[in-house]
């Protein structure tokens, strides 16, 4: 009996078990040599891996196909969100927007670890701009003085944070989460004495672990008979599946997909997701009679109407509101409509949806590699001073690994990419301009000459969703706006995302139906 007929003869459960056992087990299906056996060379394989853990603050979003783009009239006539069917793979995204308390924890760590007198710019470039609350014809000094630090606003979404600052926060969060995982696993000592370059960084630990000893307590069992780590055990590797992938901003496609929360709206392979707002996917958002008619998001109802009338404040907020105050969408995500708009990773182009790929669409790739010759070091070394770009902006902190753009010379034999910067690929670069002469390699860009012919350039980023300051039109996930990556406002915040590795669903039995969060009765979340 051949393999195919044998599998057909088994029950579905037994067939699945057989397939899994043939792919794993305690010995190699290729050579027959035992895994994790020092007598057989010591090749290590995590045969007990049970799948990716959900990182702190994250919610799993099962990926799929959906129609991205406009779902209502384009009243501004921008024509920048033409509907297109795309797919996103499964990912994780924060349950709620990053709060003032979350961001203050980040700033506290910077003060604790770095010599701020010697590196003042590390702190100053991370501080949110509290002056975004000021207005020429509105009195908002209370927010300027209190919003970021007063305990009354502890769990309100942080604002005044640029796209660049949000990305750096995500990098910091990656390291702190993975550091805590190693502490909980007993591999690291708790509360280490870290300073300047001597702090935990995930990449340094993974790729230069032999030099990272500040927190080492006990390593994993090393099956290599010639191990250089001795009896103390070896450091954790990617192959162990213990450390999590990096936190990052969601892509525009991921954010829009998660905002719709279209669980249960798919009919076989026919995707029916023409929702206008994030709560359309639920048949009954507020099932209790005394909650019917309550506002489902924090936004501006009309000119001058930010919160309703005295005695009946319809959304309970003049500006922002604490996170988790309004009901979540069907993925269990809060404030995907209203409260604050949110940064996403993408570079803005009006015709992005006509250009990007159908799977994991994204514009903004800048391919980099580690810089082994940074400042003449001649080898990959941990930074002792901040690394700056040509504009003197800090791109890497002490204790991290230096990076540089990939070069065309080192990618001559590649077909999938050739250069480092693809932010303007096909849309606005010289090669796509009608004024570009391929023979002489001369010419000027036709479009996106920033600050000369347009306000759109390679440093212009997308932000999604409506805010407390916006009318209902912007609450639709299909709308999109843009701002320079180094700018910030009083109505833009952010939340983090993370890649899903391996299986695209959570159920180990490969359950295909994603269950909705159970909500017997909606109750406003209260931090107090």
């Amino acid at each position: 009996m051949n393999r195919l007929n044998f599998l057909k003869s088994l029950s579905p459960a037994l067939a699945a078990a057989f397939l899994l056992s043939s792919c794993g087990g305690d010995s190699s299906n290729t050579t027959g040599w035992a895994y994790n056996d020092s007598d057989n060379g010591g090749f290590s394989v995590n045969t007990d891996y049970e799948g990716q853990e959900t990182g702190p603050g994250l919610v799993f979003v099962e990926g799929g196909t959906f129609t991205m783009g406009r779902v209502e009239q384009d009243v501004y006539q921008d024509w920048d969100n033409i509907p297109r069917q795309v797919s996103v793979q499964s990912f994780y995204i924060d349950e709620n927007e990053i709060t003032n308390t979350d961001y203050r924890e980040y700033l506290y760590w910077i003060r604790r670890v770095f010599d701020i007198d010697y590196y003042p710019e590390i702190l100053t470039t991370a501080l949110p701009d509290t002056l975004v609350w000021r207005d020429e014809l509105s009195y908002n000094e209370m927010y300027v003085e209190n919003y970021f630090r007063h305990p009354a606003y502890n769990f309100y979404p942080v604002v005044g944070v640029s796209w660049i600052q949000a990305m750096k926060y995500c990098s910091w969060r990656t390291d702190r989460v993975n550091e805590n995982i190693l502490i909980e696993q007993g591999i690291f000592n708790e509360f280490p004495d870290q300073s300047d370059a001597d702090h935990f960084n995930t990449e340094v630990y993974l790729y230069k672990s032999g030099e990272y000893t500040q927190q080492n307590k006990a390593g994993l069992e090393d099956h290599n008979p010639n191990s250089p780590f001795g009896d103390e055990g070896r450091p954790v590797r990617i192959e162990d599946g213990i450390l999590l992938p990096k936190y990052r901003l969601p892509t525009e496609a991921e954010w829009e997909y998660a905002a719709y929360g279209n669980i249960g709206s798919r009919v076989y392979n026919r995707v029916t997701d023409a929702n206008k707002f994030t709560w359309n996917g639920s048949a009954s958002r507020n099932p209790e009679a005394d909650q019917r008619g309550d506002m489902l998001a924090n936004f501006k109802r009309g000119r001058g109407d930010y919160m309703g009338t005295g005695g009946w404040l319809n959304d309970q907020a003049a500006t922002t509101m604490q996170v988790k105050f309004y009901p979540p969408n069907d993925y269990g995500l809060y404030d995907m409509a209203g409260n604050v708009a949110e940064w996403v990773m993408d570079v803005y182009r009006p015709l992005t949806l006509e250009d990007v790929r159908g799977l994991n669409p994204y514009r903004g790739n800048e391919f980099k590699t580690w810089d082994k010759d940074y400042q003449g070091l001649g080898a990959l070394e941990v930074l002792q001073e901040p690394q700056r770009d040509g504009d003197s902006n800090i791109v890497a902190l002490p204790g991290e690994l230096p990076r540089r753009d990939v070069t065309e010379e080192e990618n001559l034999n590649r077909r999938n990419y050739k250069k480092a910067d693809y932010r303007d690929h096909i849309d606005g670069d010289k090669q796509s301009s009608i004024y570009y002469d391929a023979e002489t390699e001369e010419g000027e860009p036709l479009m996106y000459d920033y600050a000369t012919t347009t306000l759109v350039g390679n440093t212009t980023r997308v932000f999604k969703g409506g805010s407390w300051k916006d009318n209902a039109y912007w609450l639709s996930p299909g709308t999109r706006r843009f701002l320079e990556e180094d700018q910030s406002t009083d109505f833009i915040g952010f939340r983090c995302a993370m890649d899903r590795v391996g299986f695209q669903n959570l159920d180990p039995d490969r359950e295909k139906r994603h269950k909705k969060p159970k909500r017997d009765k909606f109750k406003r979340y209260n931090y107090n």
Side-chain angles (χ1 to χ4, degrees), residues 304-317:
D305 182 5
Y306 288 86
M307 56 181 174
T309 59
W312 187 255
L313 299 180
N314 46 31
D315 69 7
Q316 311 296 307

Side-chain angles (χ1 to χ4, degrees), residues 67-79:
T67 301
M68 183 179 179
R70 184 177 63 248
V71 294
E72 58 179 326
Q73 182 181 1
D74 188 358
V75 297
Y76 289 88
Q77 298 184 0
D78 290 328
W79 299 103

Side-chain angles (χ1 to χ4, degrees), residues 298-300 337-341 465-471 474-475 481 491-492:
N298 178 16
F299 65 101
K300 183 175 71 173
N339 217 9
V340 292
S467 74
W468 64 270
K469 211 171 187 178
D470 296 312
N471 58 37
W474 296 106
L475 299 186
R481 290 176 283 180
F491 65 90
I492 300 179

Side-chain angles (χ1 to χ4, degrees), residues 262-274:
N262 281 322
I263 300 174
S265 68
R266 300 174 180 88
V267 182
Y268 298 102
N269 286 331
R270 182 172 65 88
V271 183
T272 58
D273 44 14

Side-chain angles (χ1 to χ4, degrees), residues 208-280:
K208 290 184 69 67
S209 56
E211 299 180 13
Y212 190 85
T213 60
Q214 289 91 327
Q215 295 175 247
N216 288 346
K217 179 180 179 182
L220 300 180
E221 181 181 359
D222 196 348
H223 305 289
N224 179 2
N226 300 315
S227 171
F229 299 104
D231 297 333
E232 296 180 356
R234 63 168 176 82
V236 170
R237 302 168 180 155
I238 293 178
E239 293 89 333
D240 299 315
I242 292 176
L243 299 180
L244 292 178
K246 65 182 179 182
Y247 284 81
R248 55 174 174 79
L249 291 178
T251 66
E252 181 178 3
E254 289 173 335
W255 192 98
E256 189 170 326
Y257 179 86
Y260 281 124
N262 281 322
I263 300 174
S265 68
R266 300 174 180 88
V267 182
Y268 298 102
N269 286 331
R270 182 172 65 88
V271 183
T272 58
D273 44 14
N275 289 353
K276 187 174 181 180
F277 300 114
T278 64
W279 47 78
N280 291 156

Side-chain angles (χ1 to χ4, degrees), residues 13 44 47 61 68 70 76 79 85 87 92 115 148 163 168 188 210 228 239 243 263 308 310 376 436 452 471 497 520:
S44 296
T47 56
V61 175
M68 183 179 179
R70 184 177 63 248
Y76 289 88
W79 299 103
Q85 185 166 309
S87 293
Y92 298 85
D115 184 349
F148 181 59
W163 182 93
K168 290 180 179 178
F188 272 6
E239 293 89 333
L243 299 180
I263 300 174
Y436 179 74
T452 301
N471 58 37
D520 297 330

Side-chain angles (χ1 to χ4, degrees), residues 311-525:
W312 187 255
L313 299 180
N314 46 31
D315 69 7
Q316 311 296 307
T319 56
T320 58
M321 172 53 80
Q322 71 175 24
V323 299
K324 297 186 178 181
F325 183 80
Y326 307 98
N329 71 3
D330 284 351
Y331 277 126
L333 304 175
Y334 294 85
D335 294 318
M336 297 299 282
N339 217 9
V340 292
E342 300 177 19
W343 288 113
V344 295
M345 280 209 302
D346 296 57
V347 166
Y348 176 81
R349 288 293 189 273
L351 299 181
T352 286
L353 293 185
E354 289 190 349
D355 299 329
V356 291
R357 303 293 185 257
L359 175 63
N360 300 326
Y362 170 66
R363 176 180 289 281
N365 280 316
E366 294 180 85
F367 300 125
K368 296 182 179 294
T369 186
W370 288 321
D371 191 352
K372 295 183 178 180
D373 294 320
Y374 178 70
Q375 293 185 343
L377 295 176
L380 183 61
E381 299 291 344
V382 174
L383 290 169
Q384 301 299 314
E385 300 281 338
Q387 181 185 6
R388 295 174 170 84
D389 61 14
D391 298 325
S392 297
N393 297 317
I394 295 177
V395 296
L397 297 175
E400 299 178 353
L401 298 175
R403 288 183 176 273
R404 62 167 175 82
D405 292 342
V406 300
T407 64
E408 295 188 29
E409 289 76 13
E410 61 193 4
N411 292 302
L412 291 176
N413 294 325
R414 290 195 175 276
R415 294 188 177 185
N416 51 336
Y417 71 94
K418 292 291 186 181
K419 58 180 183 177
D421 191 352
Y422 282 92
R423 290 173 296 176
D424 60 1
H425 183 55
I426 305 177
D427 191 6
D429 55 12
K430 289 185 178 182
Q431 285 75 6
S432 64
S433 171
I434 61 173
Y435 296 131
Y436 179 74
D437 189 331
E439 293 184 1
T440 63
E441 296 185 353
E442 295 180 351
E444 295 297 329
L446 174 64
M447 300 172 63
Y448 308 120
D449 186 8
Y450 182 74
T452 301
T453 60
T454 179
L455 292 179
V456 175
N458 288 345
T459 56
T460 307
R461 300 289 173 170
V462 178
F463 65 91
K464 299 283 284 184
S467 74
W468 64 270
K469 211 171 187 178
D470 296 312
N471 58 37
Y473 172 80
W474 296 106
L475 299 186
S476 172
T479 58
R480 56 200 305 256
R481 290 176 283 180
F482 60 89
L483 185 68
E484 279 299 289
E485 63 184 27
D486 62 350
Q487 299 295 302
S488 60
T489 75
D490 59 354
F491 65 90
I492 300 179
F494 70 101
R495 70 181 75 209
C496 304
M498 179 185 289
D499 295 323
R500 166 72 176 182
V501 295
F503 279 121
Q504 293 296 285
N505 48 26
L506 287 178
D507 197 316
D509 296 326
R510 305 182 186 185
E511 173 63 48
K512 293 182 179 179
R513 298 176 186 269
H514 190 116
K515 299 178 177 60
K516 294 183 181 180
K518 293 183 179 179
R519 293 191 300 271
D520 297 330
K521 180 178 180 181
F522 167 61
K523 296 181 180 179
R524 298 197 190 280
Y525 192 96

Side-chain angles (χ1 to χ4, degrees), residues 47-64:
T47 56
D48 297 323
Y49 183 69
E50 296 180 353
Q52 182 176 347
E53 296 289 334
T54 302
L58 299 177
V59 170
F60 175 74
V61 175
E62 185 177 274

